[in-house]
Amino acid sequence: MAPAAAATMAVTASGEIVLLAVLLGAAAGDVLAAAAALAALVAVAVRWGSTSLDAVAGAQAVLGPGLVAGSAAAAASTWGAAGALLLACPGGWSALAFGATAGLVVAGPAPGGAPDLAVRVAGALVGVGLAALAGRRLPRRPAAAAAAVLAVASLALAAVAR
């Protein structure tokens, strides 16, 4: 249930980052991976200055996808947060939630037309594929530890970028 709800929130870019973090944490099935997902999403909130997924998507629609918009520190924070989410994925159906969230983080403009929708769909598809691959191929504990390190680095970079 948690992965489906989290994927829906990420795909529609609606709701609060805190709720998405709780749902991803429940889907993670591991305390360290859950903490990494939470820290990554806090970094997203700090980077964009809002806990609203709508606001994050709206900012990306105006300023450009998070992976390239803003300063080097801001863009690096986005890459780190997305990487942390992908590494925190336990695999299976949770890849939909973690991958769609990573896609929203790096390329989630609010739907405003065909180009914006194409960017969002591409981000989500790449994210889901990478999350599924990470969940299937990487040992869980080292991947969760790497996710935590990336998430903390992402949070630090987001703070510097503000």
Side-chain angles (χ1 to χ4, degrees):
M1 175 102 167
T8 300
M9 287 181 71
V11 168
T12 62
S14 59
E16 287 292 315
I17 283 178
V18 175
L19 177 57
L20 180 57
V22 168
L23 291 170
L24 288 176
D30 176 87
V31 174
L32 187 57
L38 172 65
L41 289 174
V42 168
V44 171
V46 169
R47 189 243 200 270
W48 293 107
S50 176
T51 61
S52 166
L53 292 172
D54 296 316
V56 170
Q60 290 186 63
V62 173
L63 301 172
L67 67 131
V68 295
S71 67
S77 172
T78 297
W79 282 101
L85 290 166
L86 296 173
L87 290 171
C89 180
W93 289 105
S94 292
L96 293 172
F98 284 85
T101 302
L104 169 67
V105 167
V106 298
D116 290 341
L117 182 61
V119 168
R120 177 179 273 176
V121 168
L125 289 175
V126 169
V128 169
L130 290 173
L133 185 64
R136 192 172 340 153
R137 299 282 184 200
L138 299 177
R140 290 306 327 130
R141 202 66 183 156
V149 169
L150 265 179
V152 169
S154 176
L155 185 53
L157 286 165
V160 167
R162 292 293 294 155

